[in-house]
Amino acid sequence: MHGASFLLPALVYLAAALVMVPLFKRIGLGTVLGYLFAGVAIGPWGLGLVTDFALVTQVSERGVVMLLFLVGLELEPKRLWALRRAIFGLGLLQVVVTTAAVTGLAVALGMDWHQGVVLGIACTMSSTAIALQVLAERGMVKTAPGQSAFAVSLFQDLAVIPMLLLLSVLAPAGGAQGEPFGWREAGIALGLIATMVLGGRLLLRPALRIAANVGAREIFVALALLLVVGSAWLTQSVGLSMALGAFIAGVLLADSEYRMELEVDIEPFKGLLLGLFFMAVGMGIDFGVVLSQPGLVVLLALAAVAVKAVVLAVLARVFRLSTPDRWVFAIVLSHVGEFAFLLLASAQGFGLLPAREAALLTAAVALSMLSTPLLMLAYERLVAPRFTTAGARAFDTIDERNAVIVAGAGRFGQIVARLLLGRGMTVTVIDHDPNQIDLMRRFAFRGFYGDASRPDVLASAGAAEARLLGLAIDDPETVRRTVEHCRAHYPQLALIARARGRVDAYALTGLGVPAVRETFGSALETAELALRALGHGAFQARSIVHRFRQHDEAQFAEQMAAQGDVEALKALARSSRAQLERLLADDAEDIAAARRAGKDTDW
């Protein structure tokens, strides 16, 4: 009976997640909002499929514990040092200024200062998952606003622990269990933390090494879970947050050789439990309170987003981000993130927030999370085009005429240009990324900022007098358009083009342009090294790779001729595998015979 009563809610949770999370991710709103709305859908204010979710909340809170453990694991000393200015400068200022601004505004509106602080620290949080997803979809993770947003998010994650401690100090009744949290309790807590740090340094790695040497993966997973749960229990036992213990354990293992294994083992538990946490938050939103004051909920969400966006934009200017980068940085972090749910729930548990106010604020946080994807779309359509047209850097004037033009100064084009320059040839290098050109110039290599696919840029580069154009551009469509233009206007210009793979190579070959598959040569070199590592001699490995190259090039020509005939291509693929096996088998026999005859000693 108990088993059946447990299985039915489990089925409901899983079904709701499987429907809502992929849907929200597909429309660009992220998994966090998917889980939240899944909770709303099955909760008492939705379909009413689940009404008693107290147990779910207790279990799901362990997801936050797992999350904090993984946050600690991410804090490698090298990574922190590389981003130290952004993390501890920009990140710290964002937390302090946003907290002060929101707290001051709340007190001015008549709230108790304790509640103002709770609201302030909750509003500082942003969702790393939402911010990074929005940036990743646009290829901006490695850009200046992307790296700055990551650094600020990382500091926000770090700030959760002291914020939870602050709430326990501000609480009318004291610590997490309701006892007074005075100097004695603070001393015990600090002593426990010091003991955990010292004991972790001495005992954690040997214990993990022993578990890893057992060879049974489940033992290692069990030890990882014991580590997280045990650390959480220790800190909870002295009135601190369970998340603090898990975080400390993660930091202690951040530079461990077992860090990657621990991340892989904990990630599924974290994802599942954290998803349950968000669903429980969604189920727990009191829509009776929200519907009684819908205007207030919307106003709170908009006010939080506006205050954060202004603070972030000002700080981005102080840290000298460009105007377009400031917009992106402020937008992706302007919402209030998932840690705010934890802080608001803790504040309610500590007696700092009444249930009604907590429900209103929780709903406002969820609503604010909807804003980032929508604001980013608005920025791209309404604001970004103005920077592109008005503030874009003008193309360089190309003041030289050389025999060779190389379009693309990335990792591929650089090698081509360096080799030709090393042979004393004159080369004009063009790239559409001004940062790449500036980087080249810092290392005394001359290049020009421009889009080689544009007719005016090609003309100014001297395509009419040049002998060769090397297209090292990584966009196949741009390469194709450029080839067609050059064939029509510069018939004397020899062309060589980079191809991403076999399909692109077919298209270029069809246009009469020699196509170089960008990873083909390096893959063959890797295969040769692999053969040598497996015991083949240098000559034998080189011979096998050479035979394979000849076979692949012959197969390429046959497949090129059969383009458009699916059945013919299938037949060629089947016969090609058999031919390759016979070819390499014959090659091995020839080499073995030569070796027996003593004709070559390099084996």
Side-chain angles (χ1 to χ4, degrees):
M1 208 45 203
H2 291 292
S5 64
F6 170 77
L7 287 176
L8 184 58
L11 286 173
V12 171
Y13 298 136
L14 292 172
L18 287 172
V19 171
M20 300 297 287
V21 173
L23 175 62
F24 272 70
K25 193 166 185 180
R26 179 176 290 274
I27 62 179
L29 296 178
T31 57
V32 173
L33 287 175
Y35 281 118
L36 282 172
F37 277 82
V40 171
I42 64 176
W45 292 95
L47 299 175
L49 299 176
V50 178
T51 55
D52 183 11
F53 49 87
L55 179 60
V56 180
T57 303
Q58 293 177 8
V59 174
S60 65
E61 286 173 353
R62 276 55 178 176
V64 180
V65 172
M66 299 292 185
L67 177 62
L68 265 294
F69 177 73
L70 291 176
V71 168
L73 279 179
E74 287 293 324
L75 300 183
E76 296 178 88
K78 290 182 181 178
R79 194 177 190 190
L80 284 176
W81 184 253
L83 294 172
R84 62 191 181 280
R85 184 171 179 268
I87 294 173
F88 299 105
L90 184 57
L92 175 62
L93 281 174
Q94 185 271 327
V95 169
V96 172
V97 175
T98 303
T99 301
V102 175
T103 302
L105 184 61
V107 172
L109 293 174
M111 289 184 69
D112 177 76
W113 74 270
H114 293 86
Q115 295 179 354
V117 170
V118 171
L119 188 58
I121 63 176
C123 284
T124 62
M125 295 290 106
S126 303
S127 172
T128 305
I130 290 177
L132 291 184
Q133 180 183 331
V134 169
L135 291 166
E137 288 171 350
R138 292 157 177 82
M140 301 178 70
V141 174
K142 299 296 184 183
T143 62
Q147 290 295 287
S148 298
F150 173 77
V152 171
S153 296
L154 183 57
F155 186 85
Q156 290 174 354
D157 293 342
L158 291 173
V160 170
I161 299 303
M163 286 177 180
L164 291 172
L165 290 174
L166 176 62
L167 291 179
S168 68
V169 172
L170 293 177
Q177 304 299 327
E179 305 91 348
F181 200 82
W183 289 107
R184 180 174 176 274
E185 288 72 21
I188 293 173
L190 290 174
L192 174 64
I193 292 172
T195 303
M196 289 175 65
V197 172
L198 180 62
R201 290 291 182 187
L202 297 175
L203 301 175
L204 281 183
R205 290 191 183 182
L208 289 169
R209 191 176 300 113
I210 292 171
N213 290 335
V214 170
R217 186 169 182 83
E218 64 273 14
I219 298 299
F220 192 85
V221 174
L223 180 60
L225 291 174
L226 176 65
L227 172 63
V228 177
V229 175
S231 302
W233 175 79
L234 282 172
T235 50
Q236 187 189 41
S237 66
V238 295
L240 298 176
S241 164
M242 291 189 295
L244 175 61
F247 176 78
I248 293 171
V251 170
L252 291 175
L253 293 167
D255 58 350
S256 164
E257 63 271 28
Y258 301 105
R259 182 175 68 88
M260 294 298 294
E261 289 183 74
L262 288 167
E263 283 183 332
V264 171
D265 291 337
I266 295 296
E267 184 70 31
F269 297 98
K270 184 268 292 184
L272 179 61
L273 293 174
L274 202 58
L276 276 176
F277 175 78
F278 294 139
M279 290 178 74
V281 170
M283 287 186 282
I285 296 175
D286 189 345
F287 281 90
V289 175
V290 173
L291 293 174
S292 67
Q293 295 178 291
L296 179 59
V297 173
V298 174
L299 183 62
L300 286 171
L302 293 178
V305 170
V307 170
K308 283 191 73 175
V310 170
V311 170
L312 290 162
V314 170
L315 292 178
R317 182 166 186 169
V318 171
F319 280 76
R320 298 182 179 179
L321 276 92
S322 66
T323 302
D325 289 348
R326 287 201 295 268
W327 275 86
V328 174
F329 172 71
I331 287 172
V332 297
L333 294 178
S334 60
H335 63 276
V336 184
E338 58 262 26
F339 274 126
F341 297 134
L342 172 65
L343 293 170
L344 292 173
S346 299
Q348 184 181 354
F350 287 133
L352 289 167
L353 277 180
R356 181 180 179 83
E357 281 75 0
L360 285 170
L361 293 174
T362 299
V365 169
L367 188 60
S368 78
M369 294 170 80
L370 283 168
S371 67
T372 295
L374 300 177
L375 286 174
M376 199 64 186
L377 287 174
Y379 165 76
E380 290 176 330
R381 294 180 181 179
L382 303 176
V383 181
R386 299 182 182 180
F387 295 122
T388 302
T389 55
R393 169 174 162 178
F395 288 155
D396 294 336
T397 300
I398 303 177
D399 56 1
E400 60 183 36
R401 294 292 183 272
N402 293 315
V404 180
I405 302 171
V406 174
R411 52 188 171 83
F412 192 95
Q414 283 180 24
I415 296 173
V416 177
R418 284 170 54 202
L419 190 149
L420 295 176
L421 288 168
R423 286 290 298 163
M425 300 177 185
T426 56
V427 181
T428 299
V429 179
I430 307 171
D431 197 275
H432 69 281
D433 183 354
N435 297 321
Q436 189 69 24
I437 294 299
D438 292 341
L439 180 64
M440 286 180 60
R441 290 172 179 171
R442 284 202 295 270
F443 288 90
F445 286 97
R446 196 172 191 205
F448 297 92
Y449 168 51
D451 184 353
S453 66
R454 290 180 46 160
D456 57 330
V457 173
L458 276 177
S460 68
E465 300 88 28
R467 294 172 55 194
L468 173 68
L469 170 62
L471 292 165
I473 304 169
D474 62 358
D475 180 17
E477 181 60 25
T478 301
V479 171
R480 184 191 60 77
R481 289 199 313 269
T482 307
V483 166
E484 291 174 347
H485 174 78
C486 290
R487 280 283 181 259
H489 295 85
Y490 308 111
Q492 89 295 342
L493 185 63
L495 300 174
I496 300 174
R498 165 189 180 180
R500 276 190 175 179
R502 210 173 188 87
V503 175
D504 297 329
Y506 290 145
L508 290 169
T509 304
L511 293 170
V513 176
V516 181
R517 285 175 275 167
E518 62 182 20
T519 58
F520 185 58
S522 57
L524 290 179
E525 290 180 13
T526 304
E528 183 176 335
L529 291 173
L531 288 170
R532 296 191 62 178
L534 293 170
H536 291 69
F539 174 79
Q540 186 181 14
R542 196 175 308 119
S543 176
I544 293 171
V545 169
H546 178 67
R547 290 280 188 95
F548 180 87
R549 178 189 281 273
Q550 288 181 321
H551 168 78
D552 189 83
E553 289 172 351
Q555 182 192 30
F556 182 90
E558 291 177 353
Q559 291 176 338
M560 181 68 199
Q563 287 299 296
D565 189 341
V566 177
E567 293 303 320
L569 287 172
K570 288 181 179 179
L572 282 172
R574 287 192 295 269
S575 64
S576 173
R577 286 194 292 269
Q579 290 173 10
L580 181 61
E581 290 176 3
R582 288 196 301 271
L583 178 70
L584 296 186
D586 293 342
D587 183 73
E589 291 176 3
D590 292 343
I591 293 173
R595 184 179 183 183
R596 288 193 297 271
K599 292 183 179 180
D600 197 305
T601 56
D602 183 13
W603 300 97

